[in-house]
């Protein structure tokens, strides 16, 4: 029987994968993908909790979260394109415009 | 006439000169004739009001009258603006406007060729306004504001020829000395204000009549009154140029001569004496302060008389004699006789204005102030010479002239109250005759000494003395008439409502003072007319004394030392403290700490987003560990 614990463990696993990807990858596109994995980890946990508690709040929140994720990806990809155009690179280490 | 009309007259008399001053400064600075007309006209109007008030006060007007407006009002603190009419203020009103009018008219002649003519009259009008404010004020604040305005007008007029460094410096000196004195005065005012409500708070007041009631009912302890009176006397020290704050008055002679006559002889310097009489109820209740006042006055009278004897500048002789006479008045007030003080103030205003205007007339004719370059002027300038001699005789206390009567009043008071001060006063009377005799014999008798070379630009009229125009001689004659008759106008009787001791005429004192005067005059006659010895021989006989007197008894040297050494050193120490402790350590130190901390912290900001994410991860882990797992 698959219960809440399995879902949460899966969610935590996804989160760690996403986070490690975000810290270790240097390519901006891969960073965006990692962030998507993070989102989905959170979404999975929300849906599982919603099911477990027997109300719909978690699932409604997931819809919002997916909408925001879609918008975020579009902005993120736009930034990636601009990076390629202006800095000729997608390497996150070389983009240090936020430094002091 | 009803009381309201009298008060209106007083307000008009007070504000007419201010109106003139404003109109001259706003529209008249380019119009010479109009400026003079406005100034003289407004003061004559004031004089007319004063005469009307005086006439009514003699014919049964109910005095004193008081009218005050609330000017600024806070909770439990009210700044009034008001006037008080009583015989004292009406007499002073007459003196200021009367002598002032004569001097204003004289000025139109004396200053005729000066490019700053309208500015001069604007300043004079401002002075008249301020002086009348002191005279009429019924409360400390109005009095103090006018007091400071008088100082300002005095500064402006001493430094009237501001192109000359000496004049500019003299103006600054006068202003600063007065400020030092007025600091004490202000403290005194605040002290007396703070205790002016015997019930302890809500109804404290600046009004003088209210304070008088409080003091006369004996609500205030004597120590407090002594301190208050001495602080108020500080202001008098400065304005009336008493020792040790007298140093500004001789230097103030750098101003135009009519200014010296009006401000630094007849009226402004008398304001201190007037103040003593105005708040005599305070001094009357403070015996220690009163004896300090008496001694300061006596010492000033004597030492200034000595210093007058060694001066060679005609105006400076008169300046020191003014100091000396003011000393007499202050002494009289200190001996408990405000009536005698005011009496001498009135007569002195007449004859000292006359003397200064006479000196001005001489200076106008000769362009020379040193007495040793003058001589025999009685023949060439008969009106000036004659009136000057009348003034000098009155100053010396020649029997029958006004100065004799008022000085006798003071000497009799001293005779009655304090024999030591009486001796000082009588010696000073002899000295007065001596130095005035010296000035008169050298300037108006003997041979003309005008063979000295003159500046080319004065060649046309400098070589030979000539009489001044009527616009200058007529005021001289008018003042001379008042100098003669002022002793018979019943001034002491007019002031009988004032408190204090009144002793009246004393024959023994009169004889002694005439003897002292004759001795002084005889000595002056021997030395300076018959010339049994020259000035040089005299100087050699008393070299040490002479040198000390020429050095002004070290007062100026002492103040130079005080300012240059003590004050400068203190200022340097303060400057070092500010630069190294305040600015160097505290202000810049705070900045350094902030900048260094910022410099260290910004090393964390690498610009690598993934580094931030890692820090975020550790941070979150730590937070979760602390908050959830433990």
């Amino acid at each position: 029987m698959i219960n809440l614990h399995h879902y949460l463990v899966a969610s935590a696993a996804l989160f760690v994968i996403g986070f490690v990807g975000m810290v270790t990858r240097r390519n901006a596109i891969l960073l965006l993908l990692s962030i998507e994995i993070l989102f989905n980890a959170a979404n999975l946990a929300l849906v599982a909790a919603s099911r477990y508690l027997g109300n719909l709040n978690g699932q409604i929140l997931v819809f919002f979260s997916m909408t925001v994720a879609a918008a975020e990806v579009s902005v993120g990809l736009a930034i990636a394109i601009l990076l390629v155009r202006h800095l000729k690179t997608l390497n996150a280490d070389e983009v240090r415009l936020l430094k002091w | 006439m009803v009381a309201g009309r009298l008060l209106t007259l007083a307000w008009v008399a007070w504000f007419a000169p201010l109106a003139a001053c404003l109109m001259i400064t706003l529209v008249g600075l380019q119009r010479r004739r109009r400026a003079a007309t406005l100034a003289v006209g407004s003061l004559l109007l004031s004089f007319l009001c004063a005469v009307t008030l005086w006439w009514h006060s003699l014919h049964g007007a109910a005095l004193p009258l008081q009218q005050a407006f609330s000017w600024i009002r806070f909770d439990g603190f009210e700044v009034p603006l008001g006037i008080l009419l009583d015989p004292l203020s009406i007499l002073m009103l007459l003196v200021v406007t009367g002598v002032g009018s004569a001097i204003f008219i004289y000025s139109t002649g004396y200053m005729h060729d000066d490019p700053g003519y309208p500015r001069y009259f604007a300043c004079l009008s401002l002075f008249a306004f301020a002086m009348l404010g002191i005279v009429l004020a019924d409360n400390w604040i109005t009095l103090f504001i006018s007091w400071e305005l008088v100082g300002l007008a005095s500064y402006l007029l001493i430094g009237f020829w501001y192109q000359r460094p000496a004049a500019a410096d003299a103006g600054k000196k006068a202003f600063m000395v007065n400020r030092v004195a007025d600091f004490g005065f202000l403290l005194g005012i605040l002290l007396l204000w703070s205790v002016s409500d015997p019930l302890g708070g809500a109804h404290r007041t600046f009004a003088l009549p209210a304070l008088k009631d409080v003091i006369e009912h004996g609500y205030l302890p004597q120590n407090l009154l002594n301190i208050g009176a001495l602080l108020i006397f500080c202001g008098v020290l400065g304005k009336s140029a008493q020792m040790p704050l007298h140093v500004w008055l001789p230097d103030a002679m750098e101003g135009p001569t009519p200014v010296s006559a009006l401000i630094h002889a007849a009226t402004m310097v008398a304001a201190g004496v007037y103040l003593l009489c105005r708040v005599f109820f305070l001094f009357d209740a403070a015996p220690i302060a009163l004896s300090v006042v008496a001694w300061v006055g006596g010492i000033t009278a004597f030492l200034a008389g000595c210093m007058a004897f060694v001066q060679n500048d005609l105006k400076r002789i008169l300046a020191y004699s003014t100091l000396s006479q003011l000393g007499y008045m202050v002494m009289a007030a200190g001996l408990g006789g405000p009536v005698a003080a005011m009496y001498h103030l009135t007569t002195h205003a007449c004859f000292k204005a006359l003397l200064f205007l006479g000196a001005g007339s001489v200076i106008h004719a000769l362009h020379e102030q040193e007495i040793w370059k003058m001589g025999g002027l009685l023949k060439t300038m008969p009106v000036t010479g004659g009136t000057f001699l009348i003034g000098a005789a009155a100053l010396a206390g020649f029997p029958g002239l006004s100065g004799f009567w008022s000085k006798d009043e003071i000497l009799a008071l001293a005779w009655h109250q304090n024999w030591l001060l009486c001796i000082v006063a009588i010696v000073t009377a002899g000295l007065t005759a001596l130095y005035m005799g010296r000035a008169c014999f050298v300037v108006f008798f003997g041979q003309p000494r005008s063979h000295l070379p003159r500046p080319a630009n004065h060649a046309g009229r400098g070589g030979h003395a000539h009489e001044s125009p009527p616009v200058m001689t007529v005021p001289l004659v008018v003042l001379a008439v008042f100098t003669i008759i002022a002793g018979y106008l019943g001034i002491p009787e007019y002031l009988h409502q004032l408190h204090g001791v009144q002793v009246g005429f004393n024959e023994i004192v009169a004889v002694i003072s005439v003897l002292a005067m004759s001795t002084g005059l005889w000595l002056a006659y021997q030395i300076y007319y018959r010339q049994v010895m020259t000035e040089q021989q005299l100087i050699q006989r008393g070299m040490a004394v002479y040198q000390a007197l020429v050095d002004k008894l070290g007062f100026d040297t002492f103040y130079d030392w005080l300012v240059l050494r003590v004050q400068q050193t203190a200022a340097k120490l303060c400057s070092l403290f500010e630069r190294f402790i305040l600015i160097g350590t505290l202000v810049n130190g705070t900045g350094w700490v902030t900048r260094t901390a910022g410099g260290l912290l910004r090393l964390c900001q690498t610009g690598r987003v993934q580094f931030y994410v890692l820090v975020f991860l550790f941070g979150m882990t730590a937070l979760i560990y602390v908050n959830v797992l433990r």
Side-chain angles (χ1 to χ4, degrees):
Chain A
M1 178 69 192
I2 299 174
N3 60 20
L4 182 64
H5 284 278
H6 297 92
Y7 288 107
L8 288 186
V9 170
S11 163
L14 268 179
F15 188 87
V16 172
I17 292 168
F19 206 98
V20 170
M22 215 169 74
V23 175
T24 54
R25 294 289 117 182
R26 291 290 175 266
N27 190 309
I29 304 289
L30 288 178
L31 283 179
L32 279 174
L33 283 178
S34 305
I35 291 169
E36 284 307 304
I37 295 173
L38 287 179
F39 264 116
N40 286 315
N43 287 350
L44 182 59
L46 280 169
V47 173
S50 167
R51 171 80 179 167
Y52 175 75
L53 294 172
N55 68 24
L56 290 174
N57 291 356
Q59 299 182 35
I60 294 167
L61 194 56
V62 167
F63 280 112
F64 280 108
S65 166
M66 290 195 314
T67 323
V68 172
E72 178 254 322
V73 166
S74 64
V75 174
L77 285 175
I79 291 174
I81 291 168
L82 286 174
L83 281 180
V84 173
R85 279 200 193 153
H86 288 276
L87 302 177
K88 311 290 183 215
T89 177
L90 275 176
N91 189 340
D93 273 0
E94 292 175 28
V95 184
R96 292 197 201 167
L97 298 175
L98 288 178
K99 205 182 174 184
W100 68 83
Chain B
M1 204 191 285
V2 284
R5 294 254 176 87
L6 291 179
L7 285 165
T8 313
L9 273 180
W11 286 102
V12 169
W14 183 12
F15 278 94
L18 179 67
C21 170
L22 290 179
M23 279 161 80
I24 294 170
T25 35
L26 289 180
V27 298
L29 276 180
Q30 303 303 323
R31 301 174 189 173
R32 300 168 63 86
R33 282 190 64 84
R34 191 165 301 175
T37 316
L38 271 172
V40 173
S42 72
L43 199 66
L44 282 176
L45 176 66
S46 295
F47 182 53
L48 208 65
C49 293
V51 172
T52 318
L53 286 170
W54 175 68
W55 193 84
H56 281 287
S57 73
L58 283 181
H59 293 83
L63 294 174
L65 290 171
Q66 191 190 0
Q67 188 173 39
F69 301 106
S70 176
W71 182 23
I72 303 171
R73 195 198 298 263
F74 300 109
D75 197 23
F77 178 85
E78 190 184 0
V79 178
L81 179 72
I83 59 175
L84 176 63
L85 275 182
D86 60 2
L88 179 66
S89 58
I90 291 175
L91 174 68
M92 193 67 184
L93 202 62
L94 268 180
V95 172
V96 173
T97 54
V99 175
S101 299
I103 294 173
F104 273 41
I105 293 169
Y106 175 95
S107 295
T108 58
Y110 186 85
M111 299 297 286
H112 194 262
D113 301 325
D114 197 281
Y117 192 72
R119 179 165 61 92
Y120 174 81
F121 279 102
C123 292
L124 271 190
S125 294
L126 177 68
F127 167 76
F129 164 69
M131 188 66 208
L132 294 176
I134 295 181
V135 173
L136 289 169
D138 80 323
N139 62 73
W140 288 117
I141 294 293
T142 312
L143 184 75
F144 188 73
I145 293 173
S146 307
W147 189 267
E148 292 297 314
L149 275 178
V150 156
L152 169 70
S154 160
Y155 165 77
L156 290 174
L157 285 165
I158 295 172
F160 180 72
W161 288 313
Y162 54 83
Q163 302 90 340
R164 294 206 322 234
D169 288 346
K172 277 183 267 181
K173 184 172 178 182
F175 198 74
M176 283 182 198
V177 172
N178 271 302
R179 283 303 311 150
V180 170
D182 292 346
F183 185 66
F185 187 30
L186 187 58
L187 286 182
I189 289 176
L190 292 176
L191 176 69
L192 291 172
W193 171 77
S194 69
V195 298
S196 62
D197 182 9
L199 299 176
H203 298 94
R204 284 187 279 218
T205 170
F206 286 110
L208 295 176
L211 182 66
K212 184 177 178 180
D213 282 347
V214 171
I215 289 175
E216 280 176 356
H217 283 96
Y219 287 127
L220 301 179
Q222 200 153 66
N223 287 340
L224 186 100
L225 287 175
N226 274 322
I227 295 171
L230 282 175
L231 284 172
I232 298 292
F233 184 57
C234 267
V236 177
L237 279 183
K239 203 62 88 200
S240 277
Q242 296 299 295
M243 301 239 172
L245 294 180
H246 65 286
V247 289
W248 64 272
L249 188 59
D251 288 9
M253 296 303 132
E254 290 294 336
T257 306
V259 168
S260 306
L262 178 63
I263 301 186
H264 307 116
T267 59
M268 183 189 92
V269 288
V273 178
Y274 174 77
L275 177 68
L276 282 181
C277 302
R278 171 52 98 200
V279 297
F280 189 72
F281 55 85
L282 168 66
F283 285 87
D284 208 18
I288 298 176
L290 205 58
S291 58
V292 170
V293 172
W295 277 102
V296 166
I299 292 169
T300 307
F302 176 70
L303 290 182
C306 294
M307 285 191 261
F309 184 57
V310 301
Q311 299 299 317
N312 293 323
D313 180 317
L314 184 55
K315 280 179 76 180
R316 279 183 182 255
I317 295 176
L318 294 177
Y320 279 105
S321 97
T322 304
L323 282 177
S324 177
Q325 300 301 310
L326 287 168
Y328 265 125
M329 298 173 210
V330 169
M331 183 183 86
L335 290 171
V339 175
M342 279 308 292
Y343 189 18
H344 197 54
L345 190 161
T346 313
T347 58
H348 174 259
C350 290
F351 60 69
K352 190 48 72 67
L354 169 61
L355 284 171
F356 263 106
L357 294 187
S361 179
V362 170
I363 294 166
H364 190 69
L366 298 184
H367 295 279
E368 183 56 64
Q369 299 197 12
E370 180 163 347
I371 55 172
W372 299 109
K373 295 180 183 169
M374 304 171 183
L377 287 180
L378 194 57
K379 282 177 199 143
T380 43
M381 305 176 73
V383 181
T384 304
T387 51
F388 192 94
L389 290 181
I390 292 174
L395 175 61
F398 200 80
L401 296 175
S402 63
F404 169 73
W405 301 107
S406 57
K407 191 179 283 185
D408 183 78
E409 193 98 356
I410 293 178
L411 293 178
L413 186 71
W415 177 272
H416 192 256
Q417 301 281 78
N418 186 333
W419 60 271
L420 207 55
L421 274 175
C422 187
I423 293 174
V424 172
I426 286 171
V427 172
T428 309
L431 268 174
T432 311
L434 179 57
Y435 65 69
M436 281 322 290
R438 171 176 179 257
C440 290
F441 286 127
V442 171
V443 173
F444 291 104
F445 296 95
Q447 294 304 309
R449 299 181 182 86
S450 56
H451 50 79
L452 293 141
R454 306 225 152 259
N457 55 341
H458 294 142
R461 56 184 185 176
H464 294 285
H466 60 91
E467 187 55 274
S468 298
V471 71
M472 288 165 69
T473 50
V474 169
L476 287 178
V477 174
V478 171
L479 284 172
V481 169
F482 275 100
T483 299
I484 296 168
I485 66 169
Y488 307 100
L489 295 178
I491 293 167
E493 291 74 25
Y494 184 67
L495 290 172
H496 64 91
Q497 288 168 341
L498 275 177
H499 286 237
V501 192
Q502 251 175 299
V503 287
F505 188 73
N506 185 328
E507 291 83 2
I508 306 169
V509 176
V511 170
I512 296 176
S513 93
V514 169
L515 278 178
M517 185 213 66
S518 319
T519 315
L521 211 56
W522 179 78
L523 275 175
Y525 175 76
Q526 289 296 328
I527 301 172
Y528 297 105
Y529 190 74
R530 296 192 53 206
Q531 295 182 326
V532 293
M533 64 164 66
T534 65
E535 176 91 354
Q536 291 309 319
Q537 288 168 325
L538 194 67
I539 290 171
Q540 274 161 7
R541 292 256 176 102
M543 198 62 202
V545 181
Y546 176 80
Q547 200 54 43
L549 289 174
V550 169
D551 292 340
K552 303 166 193 169
L553 300 173
F555 274 104
D556 274 354
T557 326
F558 171 70
Y559 285 126
D560 278 351
W561 174 80
L562 197 65
V563 172
L564 281 179
R565 295 276 173 271
V566 179
Q567 191 221 305
Q568 285 290 359
T569 314
K572 269 180 195 155
L573 284 178
C574 289
S575 158
L576 286 180
F577 178 77
E578 192 200 346
R579 248 185 275 170
F580 291 105
I581 309 283
L582 286 184
I583 296 179
T585 309
L586 293 179
V587 177
N588 287 347
T590 313
W592 181 84
V593 167
T594 318
R595 284 169 69 95
T596 314
L600 289 174
L601 275 175
R602 71 179 182 181
L603 294 179
C604 301
Q605 200 175 7
T606 57
R608 291 180 176 176
V609 184
Q610 287 164 315
F611 174 72
Y612 301 156
V613 173
L614 205 58
V615 173
F616 172 71
L617 174 71
F618 288 136
M620 279 306 290
T621 315
L623 276 179
I624 290 168
Y625 176 77
V626 170
N627 286 319
V628 182
L629 297 183
R630 269 182 69 196

